[in-house]
Amino acid sequence: MSIRIGILGYGNLGRGVECAVAQNPDMELKAVFTRRKPEDLKIWSKTAEVLNISELQNWKDKLDVLILCGGSATDLPAQTPECAQYFNVVDSFDTHARIPEHFAAVDEAAKKGGKVAVISVGWDPGLFSLNRLYANAILPEGKDYTFWGRGVSQGHSDAVRRVAGVKDARQYTVPVESALEMVRAGKNPELSTREKHTRECYVVLEEGADAARVEEEIKGMPNYFSDYDTTVHFISEEEMKREHSALPHGGFVLRSGVTGKEKENHHLIEYTLKLDSNPEFTSSVLVAYARAAYRMAKEGMAGCKTAFDIAPAYLSAKSGEELRASML
Amino acid sequence: MSIRIGILGYGNLGRGVECAVAQNPDMELKAVFTRRKPEDLKIWSKTAEVLNISELQNWKDKLDVLILCGGSATDLPAQTPECAQYFNVVDSFDTHARIPEHFAAVDEAAKKGGKVAVISVGWDPGLFSLNRLYANAILPEGKDYTFWGRGVSQGHSDAVRRVAGVKDARQYTVPVESALEMVRAGKNPELSTREKHTRECYVVLEEGADAARVEEEIKGMPNYFSDYDTTVHFISEEEMKREHSALPHGGFVLRSGVTGKEKENHHLIEYTLKLDSNPEFTSSVLVAYARAAYRMAKEGMAGCKTAFDIAPAYLSAKSGEELRASML
């Protein structure tokens, strides 16, 4: 019998989950829940029903895992604990600083409901976190580096869009190649924010807007841009649509460490992602962890889990025997 | 209280474990067991006793984990099941094709003894296996590639040393850069053995040996060299000592996959290791999994485990709270 999947929220991430479920023969998408009127939502899958979010509770026994595809700012802090009382859930909560409180709230709800709730699985947090943990456990003496990009940062793009006179904007985070090379060479550099990443903005101006003022305002924006070398390119609406409608991303996690009696031997562990579609890749991670949630729940586990707490084999549709024979 | 570690076998790997334990403040090396006369063995650690292997059973209650540092050909197939009856154990058994039978034998012994036995943890099998599993679970439609090197292959070096007229030899496995670049570019090439790796041999001849005959014999050796482009360099004993006494290694695990309604988005996951000392890095992995074995045994688990069966958090000395706050 297939793993019965539900989706809550049908934005980029929800659509990505829909595609990812279709790539996994042991799963079936059963329902998409939305805050909109269901009749206004066209989905791609033939098998799934579209329902208003108010129907959720009626589906308690009809889904094995509910994948939460809302945002980390306001949706997930409320939705994940709420839903974890009734469903095994998976989310991609990515506000790093607030993960401990999110974990506590979700853990309480999931334990109350006897459900498994997997939080913060995507690529960062998620796969990058896993690589930080493994690399730190193996090389206790060393230094960690994470670089992001080249890729579109939604948060920074939104920040540019809020500048008066900006009609549309896309912001790329770009790792500084020379910094990356220093890390790979084992030089263990101390890198400032500015030395690790640059920021590239592509901006469509509103008619009559003052380009110089807009550029200055972007570059001076605290937190978002003032600590970086930022370039601003003004482009047409057509070019924006043609060249910048995809959402690529990626990055690098490195650990540079030493072993030996005199710490004389150097080792480098590097993990790289190059993603054409950030939301579709994140969705693929969510779906793999949905399988894990389903299997852990079947074994009687309950409570909140992160990628750290989940044995890798739970993510795969293959049995232990198959995995040992084919992938070990 | 520290985790009390024992080492069985004091070759390159055993010495690496000794160094790695010293880098982990929550562990203490208590004993090194050897087939040699204990008085003939000088070890580096001040805290540990050196004992003959015949003493092992007397140490049943004095060690938390015994790390098995023998070879995969003949030592581990006998030692791991034997020792798993009395100790929590960790090994780096790396004969991929024989892992299923090794697992079965070790699992039976460990369950009988109520112990945790972790097998085949190093970097391949081990960290590379983990990356194959995670990447396959996340991108079910795609293609896997593993490249090894540039690094010293002990098995191939030994094979060259067995050729008549060879006094000493070192063999480097070298990934073909252009093949790697094709994979990174998402071209999903079908690569033959010859197209993935080349082999470089450094050979010290015995006096009077016929270089041309030795070179021909190496290059024609089935399994080891005949399917590869192999180069043979004849060098002096001094050069061998000066330039080729280290044991570097490393490699690349890549998965190239697609997502989306039309499979239109491409993603690349790449994991890279660059290691100055293959045995010291493998030892560092063994020691991290020794911590996992200790903690799993404390929770009442028993039986044989591979890296696939072990939640990442068990490898770290940090608590769940610390990990979520610092690494997620």
Side-chain angles (χ1 to χ4, degrees), chain B residues 28-58:
Chain B
E28 196 177 348
L29 183 65
K30 289 289 187 185
V32 174
F33 298 91
T34 176
R35 275 184 293 230
R36 293 178 255 179
K37 285 189 198 160
E39 55 272 29
D40 291 350
L41 197 68
K42 280 259 181 299
I43 68 168
W44 174 57
S45 306
K46 302 276 183 272
T47 57
E49 289 183 51
V50 180
L51 300 137
N52 186 268
I53 189 170
S54 60
E55 300 277 337
L56 253 180
Q57 291 237 18
N58 305 329

Side-chain angles (χ1 to χ4, degrees), chain B residues 144-265:
Chain B
D144 291 304
Y145 296 88
T146 302
F147 292 85
W148 295 273
R150 187 177 190 258
V152 173
S153 161
Q154 305 268 33
H156 285 78
S157 298
D158 289 343
V160 176
R161 276 187 216 108
R162 287 191 295 265
V163 172
V166 171
K167 189 168 182 186
D168 196 8
R170 204 73 83 253
Q171 194 270 183
Y172 294 87
T173 305
V174 185
V176 175
E177 192 64 31
S178 59
L180 202 42
E181 285 310 319
M182 274 164 66
V183 174
R184 287 188 182 131
K187 293 183 181 159
N188 286 8
E190 290 292 336
L191 297 168
S192 67
T193 298
R194 191 177 299 275
E195 288 167 328
K196 289 181 70 186
H197 297 93
T198 57
R199 298 198 176 277
E200 285 175 17
C201 305
Y202 292 82
V203 174
V204 180
L205 287 174
E206 277 171 359
E207 227 179 276
D210 175 352
R213 198 258 313 147
V214 166
E215 178 165 347
E216 196 180 335
E217 211 168 303
I218 293 171
K219 289 185 173 178
M221 209 184 290
N223 301 319
Y224 286 95
F225 293 101
S226 62
D227 294 337
Y228 296 86
D229 290 334
T230 302
T231 51
V232 179
H233 306 275
F234 295 102
I235 61 173
S236 68
E237 227 170 334
E238 293 67 43
E239 187 177 339
M240 179 65 81
K241 201 169 279 176
R242 198 179 61 237
E243 304 289 338
H244 304 285
S245 56
L247 294 169
H249 219 315
F252 307 82
V253 175
L254 304 103
R255 186 162 175 87
S256 170
V258 290
T259 64
K261 285 178 192 163
E262 315 286 340
K263 318 284 160 79
E264 70 275 26
N265 287 314

